[in-house]
Amino acid sequence: MFGPIPSTNPVLAGDDFKAWHNAIGGELTTAADDSWRTVLREKHPDMLHLLQFPYNGEPPKRLVTSKTITPNPLHFVRNHGGISIIDKDRRPMDESRFPRIEKTVTIQCSGTRRIEHIQLYGGQGDEVPQAPWAEGAISTARYVGISLKKVIKDCGGLLKPAKHLELYGAETYVKDLEVGNYVVSVPWSKVRANEVILAWEMNGEPLPKIHGYPLRVIVLGYIGARSVKWLYRIKAIENPSRAPVQAKEYLYFNQQVGKYNLCATDGIQIQEMPVSSAIMSPWTKQTVVHIGTIRCKGWAYSGGGRWPGRVELSADGGFTWYAVPPKKLSKKGRWTWRTWEYDLPCDVEGWIEIVCRCWDNSLNTQPLNVRAAWNWGLHVTSSAHRIKVYSVNKSRELTRKRLDKFEQLGISLAPLTHYDIVPGQTAEEYEQYWRDHDPRDVDD
């Protein structure tokens, strides 16, 4: 966690988890290779493979918000084990008995923007919980399915003392060298509100294998970890699940908690995602040539049925804020992100810090720095998103003339720090300046 992040793609191989699955044997012996073949078949060739096995991947920055509805090959993937291979004729239920639901839903991983934590303040270093996610661990899709509430009602309703529903996914999950399936739970109150869907279709197609074919759970407004893939069992229970995914993972700790004193009971369970946003363009450390405004693009999201009410940008590190006009924001949705673009006013040249923050409809907003949101698990990087870019303002006459000179001579401005033997002034211009002004040195 304190060393450099590999520049390879896949970034991390997941060697430990490959070895564990191989040691379990049976069908899991080839799980890593089988899963990787599915990744290469179903995902976009430019995906960033943060972890080869279990597969964790996100789209490249330029494609994260290229469409408001994320195409299936570009939808981020956060798996915890191998990709389950299930035959169509073994679908566990007849969905035709229930009213069909169509919902556009944003799913976000709690690791979104984790790279900002890693680069400034290290934390839990296990390669699977802590895959170095950037801003692309969030995607939006149109799902078709049925309400879990209707299914429970059809089974006779929930009997006391049950207050939660435990959801079982077919992927193998390893925690502290204990092996089981992927199991989490959701409160009955969430199900009763018709906010949990059993889905079999994604963006007009059957669920891709990598996204849970033939049946998965979609929990509206919750952390993505609750939306179980390859669903095969639902169990009514009295208390939240004691399965490790629910009881020991996806917890938000106080900043004084670390490896030396961590207790799972000290963490807040991550359920509804807080308000967050990110800048997709420009990229940090880019040189931006502009004429007084910098074109910025990105996304904003808030969980729990809330929605982004306003997105603001700053070109001076967060001192002055500009609101993105409503017409530059995508349509509001109770369970979806809003993508946006804005021409941010910027007169200055040199290094600047562009900051993005969101206010949701409940007036929740983002902490202004990463440190305020740091936690040992490196979950929920919900702070205002900051990028550093080098501003070159072509509306300034001297800059424009200089860039025109570069173009005439066929010299690229990039890389910015590369020295080019192109004088900023002629010898005559230099001498004329001192004839018109006081000398550099002062005469006694």
Side-chain angles (χ1 to χ4, degrees):
M1 193 58 65
F2 294 102
I5 295 173
S7 58
T8 54
N9 194 21
V11 178
L12 302 171
D15 291 333
D16 286 346
F17 281 75
K18 290 179 181 179
W20 293 335
H21 280 67
N22 185 68
I24 294 168
E27 294 290 336
L28 298 182
T29 303
T30 61
D33 292 337
D34 294 342
S35 292
W36 185 239
R37 281 192 289 270
T38 303
V39 171
L40 297 178
R41 184 171 58 250
E42 293 191 348
K43 302 313 289 184
H44 192 282
D46 291 340
M47 286 288 282
L48 303 178
H49 309 304
L50 302 176
L51 183 65
Q52 188 177 39
F53 184 78
Y55 183 69
N56 286 216
E58 64 179 286
K61 202 181 298 282
R62 72 180 191 281
L63 296 177
V64 171
T65 57
S66 59
K67 297 181 182 296
T68 303
I69 302 296
T70 310
N72 290 352
L74 287 170
H75 198 290
F76 88 93
V77 179
R78 192 335 183 185
N79 287 342
H80 298 77
I83 297 169
S84 301
I85 301 173
I86 302 173
D87 296 333
K88 180 180 180 181
D89 61 6
R90 301 183 74 176
R91 182 177 293 177
M93 63 186 302
D94 177 13
E95 65 271 6
S96 63
R97 295 165 51 200
F98 304 96
R100 175 186 173 109
I101 293 176
E102 290 192 37
K103 286 279 187 182
T104 302
V105 182
T106 294
I107 296 179
Q108 183 182 18
C109 176
S110 70
T112 310
R113 297 176 46 203
R114 174 175 288 141
I115 190 70
E116 297 164 51
H117 277 313
I118 294 173
Q119 290 174 337
L120 292 175
Y121 308 102
Q124 189 178 37
D126 187 283
E127 64 184 4
V128 175
Q130 306 311 343
W133 294 103
E135 302 88 7
I138 180 172
S139 302
T140 299
R142 185 79 176 168
Y143 294 97
V144 171
I146 57 178
S147 169
L148 178 54
K149 176 185 177 181
K150 300 291 186 182
V151 176
I152 300 301
K153 184 178 180 181
D154 187 69
C155 294
L158 200 68
L159 301 179
K160 293 181 179 180
K163 298 178 183 177
H164 299 261
L165 292 175
E166 197 169 44
L167 311 169
Y168 289 68
E171 65 180 327
T172 302
Y173 183 81
V174 180
K175 174 67 176 176
D176 299 334
L177 298 183
E178 294 182 4
V179 182
N181 283 136
Y182 188 86
V183 181
V184 299
S185 64
V186 291
W188 168 242
S189 59
K190 185 74 173 173
V191 177
R192 191 175 55 203
N194 280 316
E195 294 174 3
V196 181
I197 300 171
L198 305 183
W200 60 84
E201 186 177 297
M202 179 179 179
N203 290 332
E205 302 174 354
L207 279 173
K209 286 183 172 60
I210 201 169
H211 287 290
Y213 177 91
L215 190 69
R216 73 168 299 173
V217 179
I218 301 294
V219 183
L220 309 182
Y222 265 27
I223 179 178
R226 309 297 176 231
S227 292
V228 173
K229 298 185 283 285
W230 310 290
L231 180 72
Y232 74 88
R233 183 186 186 193
I234 300 171
K235 179 181 178 182
I237 55 178
E238 183 176 0
N239 297 303
S241 174
R242 294 299 189 259
V245 185
Q246 188 84 23
K248 298 180 180 180
E249 297 287 359
Y250 299 105
L251 302 172
Y252 199 90
F253 292 100
N254 177 269
Q255 293 190 352
Q256 296 196 45
V257 171
K259 182 177 182 178
Y260 44 86
N261 64 356
L262 185 149
C263 296
T265 49
D266 291 335
I268 299 173
Q269 195 171 76
I270 303 170
Q271 299 278 60
E272 294 183 355
M273 293 299 290
V275 62
S276 185
S277 62
I279 302 164
M280 294 293 99
S281 177
W283 301 354
T284 196
K285 297 186 179 179
Q286 273 192 323
T287 298
V288 182
V289 180
H290 59 92
I291 55 172
T293 60
I294 297 176
R295 172 63 58 90
C296 299
K297 297 180 180 181
W299 56 261
Y301 174 69
S302 189
R306 298 173 294 275
W307 57 88
R310 184 167 69 222
V311 176
E312 297 178 328
L313 291 171
S314 170
D316 58 8
F319 188 79
T320 306
W321 295 92
Y322 297 88
V324 176
K327 64 181 180 181
K328 293 295 184 178
L329 286 154
S330 63
K331 185 179 178 181
K332 294 176 185 176
R334 190 178 174 201
W335 308 110
T336 62
W337 67 3
R338 301 184 76 180
T339 57
W340 53 265
E341 62 178 59
Y342 181 58
D343 291 324
L344 177 64
C346 179
D347 180 61
V348 301
E349 296 190 286
W351 285 107
I352 64 169
E353 187 175 49
I354 299 178
V355 191
C356 171
R357 71 179 178 187
C358 173
W359 298 80
D360 71 14
N361 62 302
S362 296
L363 293 185
N364 300 308
T365 192
Q366 301 170 246
L368 288 180
N369 60 74
V370 171
R371 177 61 183 170
W374 185 88
N375 60 96
W376 177 247
L378 305 184
H379 288 294
V380 192
T381 310
S382 60
S383 54
H385 190 212
R386 297 174 178 268
I387 64 170
K388 295 178 177 63
V389 301
Y390 197 93
S391 166
V392 179
N393 190 348
K394 203 174 178 179
S395 67
R396 293 189 174 187
E397 183 178 6
L398 184 60
T399 299
R400 178 180 55 78
K401 289 182 177 180
R402 177 75 163 163
L403 293 178
D404 289 345
K405 185 69 172 179
F406 271 61
E407 187 175 352
Q408 292 169 10
L409 297 174
I411 298 174
S412 173
L413 183 63
L416 185 69
T417 54
H418 185 268
Y419 177 73
D420 293 293
I421 309 174
V422 181
Q425 295 173 302
T426 65
E428 175 56 31
E429 288 172 336
Y430 183 87
E431 295 299 334
Q432 184 61 47
Y433 181 88
W434 295 119
R435 286 194 291 269
D436 296 340
H437 298 82
D438 293 334
R440 276 204 172 106
D441 296 328
V442 177
D443 294 332
D444 288 337

